Amino acid sequence: MSLPTPVVTIGLLIASNVFMTIAWYGHLKFKSAPLIAVILISWAIAFFEYVLQVPANRMGHGYFSAAQLKTIQEVISLSVFVIFSWLYLGERITWQHGVGFALICLGAWFIFQDWG
């Protein structure tokens, strides 16, 4: 039994965004670490993001348009980041973040509409 294309695509995009968020922002708790070490470790973590993102886009393209794939990726990226910044970095999520995210989701909704 194989999973539907949207499930596989979105699952891989979620996993890839977890790696990318860690690569981009995980080092913020380690400001005393040498910058070159942080860069190299981030690159190593980001490798796994590419290992997941490239197949997600390849499998998903055709079912989704390129614009839809990018939109899905951006919404997932923001969702993963909000959770990461709250749980890992201990940052507060404000109502302004909620409104901004809602507006982004509204924009994403428009990308998926086909009005001829």
Side-chain angles (χ1 to χ4, degrees), residues 15-105:
S16 75
N17 273 281
V18 168
F19 281 104
M20 201 64 201
T21 300
I22 292 168
W24 283 5
Y25 301 102
H27 62 87
L28 295 178
K29 280 195 163 184
F30 304 99
K31 292 187 180 182
S32 63
L35 185 57
I36 189 67
V38 169
I39 291 169
L40 293 174
I41 291 167
S42 292
W43 277 355
I45 295 168
F47 168 79
F48 296 101
E49 185 264 347
Y50 284 94
V51 167
L52 297 166
Q53 177 107 11
V54 170
N57 286 330
R58 182 164 289 201
M59 285 184 246
H61 190 251
Y63 186 91
F64 298 110
S65 70
Q68 289 172 329
L69 281 169
K70 183 60 179 172
T71 302
I72 293 166
Q73 188 275 327
E74 291 299 333
V75 169
I76 290 170
S77 179
L78 287 170
S79 300
V80 168
F81 179 77
V82 166
I83 294 166
F84 178 86
S85 66
W86 173 57
L87 290 177
Y88 183 77
L89 296 176
E91 295 188 358
R92 218 166 52 91
I93 300 168
T94 67
W95 69 268
Q96 295 98 322
H97 295 127
V99 170
F101 190 67
L103 291 171
I104 290 167
C105 288

